Structure formats: structure tokens, C-alpha cells
Amino acid sequence: MHSTEPVVDGYTQQDLCQAVELLAAAEEVTVLGHLNPDPDAFGSAIALGLALKERGARVRVSFGAPEELPASLAVLNSGDLFVPASAVPATASLLVTVDCANPDRLAGLADLPRSTVAAGGQVLVIDHHLSNSRFGTHNLVDVAAESTTVIVLRLIDALGATLTEPLARAVYAGLLTDTGSFRRARPSTHEIAARLLAAGVDPSATGRALTDTHPFARLRMLSSVLGRAVLEPEAARGLGLVHTSVQLADLVGLPAEEAESVIDIVRSSSEAEVAAVLKQAGPNRWTGSLRAVGRLDVNSAASAFGGGGHRFAAGFTTEGTLTEVQDRLRAALAAAPLV
Ligand SMILES: [Mn+2]
């Protein structure tokens, strides 16, 4: 069991054993996903939380922002584990972060890894982002994993936890969304999905709740946002860039999470290798989402802003006017390496 032979990219069998020992011994655990959680972040936290709760641990699941659980994630919220960020204590004997590349992704809870270690606790980092800074006392980072929920499932199996339907649904949610609805799937991805469906997951109801259900007011928001989309064929090293912005005025009467689905519409433009959506987070503050079809490394472009992610899907937060951020984005994409 305790060989140092790598089982997968980024961590060894020994790393996995140590993480299992840490989780198996834990009596009280705080599990945090990244801010503005997606189904992989929240699904990973809930799946792990349910497995630890079954073992008798006291578990809380949270994320740095927003305070409320986004409506689209309610379908994953099992086991009464979620608490708002304001109810998370400043230290934990065991802190687990899931799908977070660095402490900044914890937003208002970004100091917890440091304060937990200072108080003698342990920090387990579970992630699949290329840009992960391995900020835990223990790190399970596998950049080849389809989703963070897949790494969590390996831990759940090693703990001998029961694959109940709510737990399987949470794992499935991350797998579904992080593979682009199984477009980026290997044969083994479908073997994992088969196990989850056999555990009782309803793929139609789960998929619809996670990605195909929005408030009516989103249609008007899309109308303005898509109406100002711009195609720049010469940008992104001549491979083409399509971009737009979601401004604060567009989101009046809508939860901020509704901005997250815009990138999936913008990226469908056949003339552009790269799609970008700049979401306004304050008067001069922007969060960017970048997607590439498969020829340009947008993780590298995002890192020019201090962000990161995966080669073909990355993000960043930055300050400036919209025009300034757009100019810096063009420059970052012009310098991004081809794959
Ligand atoms: Mn993920």
C-alpha cells in the first residue's frame, strides 16, 4: 500500500493512503469549494461530506461566496451539510478544499488554510487544476482527472463508504459538467458514469436541474449580452477571438450565477478558437472566463492576470476599465502558446 509509485499524475499511492488516514480519523471536518461554486466544487464537497458523515464525523460544507446556495446547486444539497461562509469557524482540526487551485479561490475564507495550520490542524487539498499551488499539508492533485469529484470518488472507495444515490448524484454532477456533458470523456469516464447510474442517479433530472433551468429574466440578459458580442478574426494569434461582457446592469433582478452560462453560448462561434466573457464584479473589477477549442493554451493567458485553470478552460479576476481589460486580454492571447 505504501509505495511511492505514482498511481496517477501528480500524487502517489502513499499520498492517497495518508489522505484516507487523515479523513478516517477526523471527528470534525470543514469542506470548502471555490467561490461561486460550480457543480464540480459543490458536488465534490457534498460527496465527501456525506461519506464522512456516514462514518460519524461532524461535517460542514461551504464556500467563500456567495452566502446563499446558488439555486442551480440545490439538486446536490443533501445531508444538511451546507452552512453559509459566515458560519464557518476560523480554524478546523481538518480543513479540506475541493476544486480550488489556490487559497484566493476561497474568497472571504482565504485565510483558513493558514489559520488552520497555525492552530495545529491539517489541510487536505483535492483538485485537478493545472494551476494548483499545492497549498495544503496534504495534496491530492491529479490534473488528468476529469473532475475533482472523480478524485473524491477514489477517496470514498478507499474509505469503504456506501455509494448512496445522493452521494453518486453529487459525483455525477462534477463529471457531467467538467467533461462538457461527456464530450471530453475517456472509456473509463463512462465506466465511472455507469457505476453512478447503477447507484440510482437520474441523468435526465440531474442534468436539467444543473444546466437547463434558468429564470425567465435570463432571456433579456442574454439579449443584451449577446447583442454586444464581437468577433476578432486576427486576435488569438490569428485563430480568432469572440468576446462579450456581462455588466452589472445586465444582471439586475438575476442571481450572479446566471452570468456563468454565457460563455457556453459565446464559445459556440465557429470562427473563433478562443471565447472570452468579462463579467463585471464591481465598477472597475472584472472576472474573465476563457475557453479554447483545442489549439491555444488559455491557462497561460489567464496566468498573465494571476489566474489559471486548465489548458482549454481558465479564468481570472482583474481591475481596470472594460477597454483596458480587453486590451490586456488581446495581448495575453497573442502571447499564449499553441498546443
Ligand atoms: Mn473542476
Side-chain angles (χ1 to χ4, degrees):
M1 221 22 200
H2 286 275
S3 101
T4 51
E5 182 191 341
V7 281
V8 279
D9 292 6
Y11 70 82
T12 64
Q13 187 69 45
Q14 187 176 15
D15 294 330
L16 184 70
C17 287
Q18 286 177 354
V20 169
E21 283 167 18
L22 208 57
L23 293 167
E27 292 176 359
E28 184 176 9
V29 188
T30 297
V31 189
L32 300 179
H34 58 73
L35 79 155
N36 303 323
D38 60 10
D40 192 32
F42 192 63
S44 294
I46 289 292
L48 184 63
L50 289 172
L52 297 174
K53 187 183 179 184
E54 184 198 356
R55 299 182 60 88
R58 277 169 292 135
V59 181
R60 65 182 74 81
V61 162
S62 195
F63 38 80
E67 272 285 289
E68 313 274 306
L69 183 69
S72 64
L73 299 179
V75 67
L76 307 180
N77 190 17
S78 307
D80 202 22
L81 301 174
F82 171 69
V83 300
S86 58
V88 175
T91 62
S93 56
L94 177 58
L95 176 71
V96 182
T97 69
V98 288
D99 209 38
C100 291
N102 58 64
D104 288 348
R105 299 285 288 151
L106 299 171
L109 302 174
D111 200 43
L112 255 68
R114 194 203 56 76
S115 61
T116 294
V117 173
Q122 307 286 325
V123 178
L124 171 61
V125 168
I126 308 172
D127 190 24
H128 68 140
H129 288 96
L130 193 59
S131 55
N132 189 286
S133 66
R134 291 163 172 80
F135 58 96
T137 57
H138 297 74
N139 300 285
L140 283 185
V141 179
D142 176 9
V143 301
E146 298 92 330
S147 62
T148 298
T149 60
V150 166
I151 310 173
V152 166
L153 182 61
R154 293 176 197 149
L155 283 166
I156 286 165
D157 287 339
L159 283 164
T162 315
L163 191 60
T164 61
E165 188 281 326
L167 194 159
R169 194 191 323 152
V171 173
Y172 181 85
L175 192 59
L176 174 74
T177 55
D178 271 30
T179 58
S181 301
F182 296 103
R183 282 189 286 263
R184 295 181 295 278
R186 301 186 284 263
S188 57
T189 312
H190 288 285
E191 286 168 15
I192 297 167
R195 260 189 89 192
L196 302 172
L197 297 193
V201 175
D202 179 338
S204 172
T206 306
R208 182 176 166 84
L210 287 170
T211 59
D212 301 338
T213 306
H214 301 276
F216 173 73
R218 171 179 181 257
L219 298 182
R220 200 153 290 125
M221 180 272 286
L222 288 176
S223 160
S224 354
V225 166
L226 300 179
R228 34 171 202 272
V230 176
L231 176 67
E232 299 185 20
E234 301 309 315
R237 309 192 60 162
L239 297 173
L241 164 68
V242 57
H243 64 94
T244 189
S245 59
V246 181
Q247 302 178 12
L248 292 175
D250 299 315
L251 286 170
V252 170
L254 278 172
E257 61 169 317
E258 291 302 329
E260 302 306 316
S261 62
V262 172
I263 188 71
D264 289 321
I265 305 171
V266 173
R267 69 191 290 237
S268 63
S269 310
S270 62
E271 297 89 341
E273 161 68 20
V274 175
V277 174
L278 296 171
K279 294 163 282 184
Q280 191 171 25
N284 277 311
R285 190 172 171 81
W286 301 87
T287 297
S289 295
L290 304 178
R291 299 290 184 275
V293 177
R295 294 172 65 193
L296 200 77
D297 179 351
V298 290
N299 178 63
S300 158
S303 69
F305 292 90
H310 311 281
R311 267 194 310 178
F312 304 134
F316 60 85
T317 298
T318 192
E319 311 277 336
T321 66
L322 180 58
T323 308
E324 284 164 0
V325 175
Q326 286 169 337
D327 286 344
R328 282 159 54 207
L329 178 60
R330 283 185 198 96
L333 289 170
L338 296 172
V339 173

